[in-house]
């Protein structure tokens, strides 16, 4: 589970429900910093078990580079509504069409960034219609299914959700924590942090986790389709990733003729592990993509 630095929106950002043709979605919307020339708008999609708050550390540095950033909870994630048990509502094509509706609601072509699962949903959206987007950044998001060890973890979660409530699964996950993990959680934010994570977990719909977890385990390689589109691509990751090994990400970048960025001292969530370096790399790419456009 990703662990945001804070669940409080950064200064100047606004949390609200973005109205779209496919319903309302909870967002954190951060404007361009005062006195900075606007350079574009970006839509940010979180990963599996994540939420819009995962991008909180990126908003301020990106605002200072001239970018308005809108981070969104997808359908059934945390504060966005979705059915509890209808897994068909979370089919990848449905989630992708949500992204197209979100981009349309923002009113202009946007830079699209997806983290992990969010990257694969972003890819599906772009493959339906690339015209609402100025670029695509795949952050810690690989070409096909997740690694075998991660598939086993997702299967355990899906099996648990089939017979347990979200609250019971949360209690079971906490009971399995090692003393070191408990101590790290306390150092990272203590009880407030744990309460926020629990609230996010309990707000996420079980059908969303079951359906998207299955997607992560069976996702086909669609890189060739993606490479045929006239968009600038960016493949960004930490220096270590056990969900998609780095050689897979390196090869995907070559196949996409994409910019490739590796963030040192970061793992599967460079946005929270090393936010300043990650924001710098993202903004550098967006600047270049804008010049190309």
């Amino acid at each position: 589970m990703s662990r945001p630095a804070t669940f409080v929106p950064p200064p100047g950002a606004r949390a609200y429900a973005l109205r779209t043709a496919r319903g309302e979605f909870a967002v954190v919307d951060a404007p361009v910093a005062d006195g900075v020339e606007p350079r574009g708008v970006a839509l940010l999609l979180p990963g599996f078990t994540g939420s819009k708050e995962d991008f909180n550390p990126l908003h301020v540095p990106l605002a200072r580079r001239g970018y308005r950033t809108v981070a969104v909870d997808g359908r059934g994630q945390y504060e966005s509504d979705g059915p509890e048990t209808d897994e068909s509502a979370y089919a990848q094509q449905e989630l992708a069409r949500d992204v197209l509706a979100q981009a349309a609601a923002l009113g202009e072509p946007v830079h699209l960034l997806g983290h992990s699962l969010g990257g694969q949903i972003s890819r599906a959206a772009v493959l339906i219609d690339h015209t609402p987007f100025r670029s695509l950044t795949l952050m810690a998001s690989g070409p096909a299914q997740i690694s075998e060890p991660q598939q086993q973890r997702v299967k355990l979660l899906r099996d648990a959700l089939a017979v347990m409530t979200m609250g019971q699964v949360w209690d079971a996950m906490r009971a399995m924590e090692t003393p070191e993990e408990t101590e790290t959680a306390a150092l990272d934010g203590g009880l407030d942090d744990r309460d926020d994570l629990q609230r996010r977990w309990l707000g996420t719909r079980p059908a969303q986790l079951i359906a998207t977890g299955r997607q992560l385990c069976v996702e086909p390689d669609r890189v060739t389709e993606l490479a045929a589109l006239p968009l600038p691509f960016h493949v960004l990751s930490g220096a270590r990733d056990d969900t998609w090994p780095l050689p897979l990400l390196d090869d995907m970048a070559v196949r996409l003729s994409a910019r490739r960025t590796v963030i040192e001292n970061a793992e599967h969530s460079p946005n929270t592990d090393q936010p300043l370096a990650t924001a710098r790399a993202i903004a550098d790419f967006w600047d270049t993509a804008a010049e190309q456009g």
Side-chain angles (χ1 to χ4, degrees), residues 89-126:
Y90 303 105
Q92 188 183 77
Q93 290 295 295
E94 292 297 315
L95 300 179
R97 293 189 184 281
D98 288 346
V99 175
L100 293 171
Q102 293 155 12
L106 294 177
E108 58 184 290
V110 301
H111 295 287
L112 183 60
L113 181 150
H115 175 227
S116 194
L117 170 70
Q120 297 200 330
I121 294 170
S122 296
R123 178 172 75 178
V126 167

Side-chain angles (χ1 to χ4, degrees), residues 23-94:
E24 295 187 347
F25 297 88
V27 301
V28 172
D29 186 338
V32 175
D34 290 342
V36 177
E37 180 181 356
R39 295 188 61 87
V41 179
L43 181 62
L44 314 179
L45 275 59
F48 187 61
T49 76
S51 69
K52 60 190 178 303
E53 286 74 20
D54 294 340
F55 298 108
N56 278 350
L58 299 184
H59 289 300
V60 170
L62 290 172
R64 291 172 178 163
R65 292 287 297 267
Y67 292 98
R68 173 191 173 196
T69 47
V70 182
V72 60
D73 286 337
R75 183 190 304 202
Q77 275 185 321
Y78 190 25
E79 294 181 321
S80 287
D81 195 18
E84 293 284 331
T85 59
D86 180 10
E87 295 178 33
S88 67
Y90 303 105
Q92 188 183 77
Q93 290 295 295
E94 292 297 315

Side-chain angles (χ1 to χ4, degrees), residues 133-137 229-234 257-258 285 288-290 292-293:
F133 306 108
R134 300 176 68 181
S135 71
L136 173 61
T137 296
L229 299 180
L231 275 181
F233 300 110
H234 186 195
S257 299
F285 167 68
T288 302
Q292 292 174 349

Side-chain angles (χ1 to χ4, degrees), residues 162-173:
V163 296
M164 302 167 68
T165 67
M166 290 291 284
Q168 290 170 333
V169 174
W170 174 265
D171 290 341
M173 291 190 300

